Amino acid sequence: MNRLPASNRDRTGRPGRATTGPDLSEPTRRLLLTPTYLDARRHFRAGLDALRRTDPLHPAAVLLPGTEALQDLRRSLGDALGVRLYTFYDLAAAVLDAGGFPVHRLEDIALRRLLRRVLDDLAAAGSLAVFAPLREKPGFLGAVLDWLREMESQGITPEDGAVHAAAVHAAAAHADEEIARALAEIYTQYETELRDRAAADADGSLRLAAGALESDPAVFRMPGRLAVLGFDQFNPLQRRLLRALASRCDDVAVYLAWDPDRPETSLAHARAAETRRTLLADLPLVEEIVPRSDEADPTLARLHRDLFENRDQGPPPDAGGSLRLVEAPSREVEVRFVLREVKKLLLAGEDPAEIAVLAPEPAVYHPIVRAVAGEYGLPIALD
């Protein structure tokens, strides 16, 4: 480990420490600043392997931001036994199950039906106010459900809903106290319907799980190491659940993408800086820096280091044609250019398993890639 500068201290004022591994004789809570997600994943695996040299079945759990990240880590761990992988929603379900709380989590279709019933009941009672004419409009149900989910994720209860809604609409051009009251009524009825059915939406399950942990110290002990991987921010409910969970673990490692070669004021750190401050305020974490891997291509390393930096970066290195910027007028033209390059590589004898194409929106690009690859006779595997 590399020691942090003296200015970086944990919430108790102690300077960040550098260790080769946690001392499990006392609770260990660390915020590990890692240059990349790959560095974080390698560090976690190396630490787990070190622990298991003395205890082959040392327990470990990993908290990840979504199912894709979970599946990717499961593939990379291979035959590692006893590593439990969770998303926040998986974790909430496990906590509620361990505590004996019979809560049924409703998925999107069921939630839409429930919300439709709430809106119909409020309209019949004359309580839907200005929203009554919009009730049957396309998109209204989805917009209200999105708002309800945002309230849940921010940890705002129905009792706070009127205050929050009023604050939101006070800043809008068409501020209306009646709108605020109607939104608060919808939220209250929605939560009442869920509670009466012993059900919850996704973020509601996080709130219930956090409450279960806070009310009963015996619920859901987590022996071994807990690693939190792949997050760049946490909503208030996630932070609440993480706080309650950390007190049940002897070894907590929260990984946060942070490039020590960039200044703290770098635009690349904008989101991570706020997350870092919040984590240090919420949890008694000691900061450590995870060393950067030396395997990065020099050209890509330069791009990673200087991207988003508003400073004189000097002349670019000679990439030898390994890095090119291509502008395309449409996604289809973009995909055709890329797949022509892939075709050239294959004809030159390149192993298909060594070629990867990354896209920012898989749902948008997959159909185009599939169609063009078929035209070009290219073997593809879409993730």
Side-chain angles (χ1 to χ4, degrees):
M1 294 284 182
N2 295 331
R3 187 176 295 276
L4 284 171
S7 60
N8 290 315
R9 298 177 181 272
D10 66 15
R11 64 179 285 183
T12 65
R14 295 188 301 269
R17 60 178 178 173
T19 63
T20 56
D23 176 8
L24 297 183
S25 62
E26 61 179 26
T28 303
R29 317 246 189 281
R30 297 174 295 162
L31 176 60
L32 298 169
L33 305 179
T34 59
T36 67
Y37 173 70
L38 185 58
D39 289 319
R41 199 168 70 181
R42 286 172 175 163
H43 182 270
F44 165 74
R45 183 58 191 265
L48 181 63
D49 289 345
L51 288 170
R52 290 190 166 182
R53 279 195 283 272
T54 54
D55 179 4
L57 293 179
H58 188 87
V62 186
L63 190 57
L64 296 145
T67 54
E68 289 186 9
L70 187 149
Q71 292 165 0
D72 179 59
L73 183 60
R74 180 174 287 129
R75 285 192 295 266
S76 73
L77 289 174
D79 59 357
L81 298 175
V83 181
R84 292 160 295 160
L85 306 183
Y86 299 101
T87 65
F88 266 107
Y89 300 126
D90 298 331
L91 180 62
V95 169
L96 293 172
D97 184 61
F101 300 99
V103 177
H104 177 56
R105 178 178 154 188
L106 299 184
E107 301 300 335
D108 190 71
I109 293 176
L111 289 171
R112 286 175 178 271
R113 289 174 179 165
L114 185 144
L115 179 57
R116 170 60 64 194
R117 180 178 301 177
V118 167
L119 294 175
D120 289 345
D121 289 347
L122 289 175
S127 302
L128 206 52
V130 293
F131 292 135
L134 302 175
R135 185 165 53 96
E136 302 296 336
K137 296 291 185 182
F140 177 70
L141 193 72
V144 174
L145 191 57
D146 287 343
W147 181 81
L148 293 170
R149 286 168 173 159
E150 180 65 17
M151 296 301 98
E152 285 273 24
S153 70
Q154 296 302 311
I156 298 171
T157 66
E159 292 75 19
D160 299 327
V163 176
H164 183 79
V168 169
H169 288 280
H174 304 290
D176 194 327
E177 186 63 29
E178 191 177 9
I179 292 176
R181 286 196 300 269
L183 285 172
E185 184 70 21
I186 291 170
Y187 192 14
T188 299
Q189 285 299 109
Y190 173 79
E191 287 295 324
T192 300
E193 290 286 336
L194 287 172
R195 185 173 58 251
D196 290 348
R197 289 165 172 74
D201 56 17
D203 287 304
S205 69
L206 297 188
R207 174 170 48 81
L208 292 172
L213 291 174
E214 291 163 351
S215 63
D216 187 351
V219 170
F220 200 72
R221 301 296 301 180
M222 288 193 76
R225 173 168 295 184
L226 171 65
V228 184
L229 273 174
F231 293 88
D232 60 4
Q233 63 180 353
F234 300 88
N235 68 40
L237 269 183
Q238 291 171 335
R239 294 191 343 248
R240 182 182 168 194
L241 187 55
L242 192 57
R243 281 196 305 270
L245 192 64
S247 64
R248 288 162 162 73
C249 304
D250 293 327
D251 180 10
V252 179
V254 182
Y255 290 86
L256 181 66
W258 187 275
D259 188 347
D261 295 332
R262 295 178 187 264
E264 291 196 15
T265 55
S266 167
L267 288 175
H269 287 158
R271 177 178 291 182
E274 177 60 29
T275 302
R276 182 183 178 188
R277 286 192 294 270
T278 301
L279 286 171
L280 292 174
D282 279 356
L283 297 166
L285 299 170
V286 174
E287 288 185 317
E288 299 174 10
I289 293 178
V290 174
R292 182 188 300 278
S293 169
D294 294 329
E295 299 178 14
D297 175 86
T299 301
L300 293 180
R302 166 68 184 267
L303 181 65
H304 178 269
R305 184 180 69 251
D306 291 340
L307 196 62
F308 306 121
E309 295 303 327
N310 184 22
R311 63 168 187 258
D312 182 12
Q313 299 166 357
D318 181 10
S322 64
L323 181 65
R324 287 180 289 166
L325 174 64
V326 178
E327 296 180 89
S330 69
R331 289 190 178 97
E332 182 179 348
V333 173
E334 179 186 15
V335 169
R336 288 186 179 278
F337 175 86
V338 170
L339 294 190
R340 281 198 300 271
E341 296 298 304
V342 171
K343 183 79 170 184
K344 293 176 186 177
L345 291 172
L346 293 176
L347 291 175
E350 190 71 42
D351 182 354
E354 296 299 316
I355 302 174
V357 177
L358 306 181
E361 299 175 88
V364 173
Y365 278 89
H366 277 184
I368 307 173
V369 171
R370 190 179 292 111
V372 176
E375 290 180 29
Y376 290 177
L378 292 174
I380 58 170
L382 299 175
D383 291 331

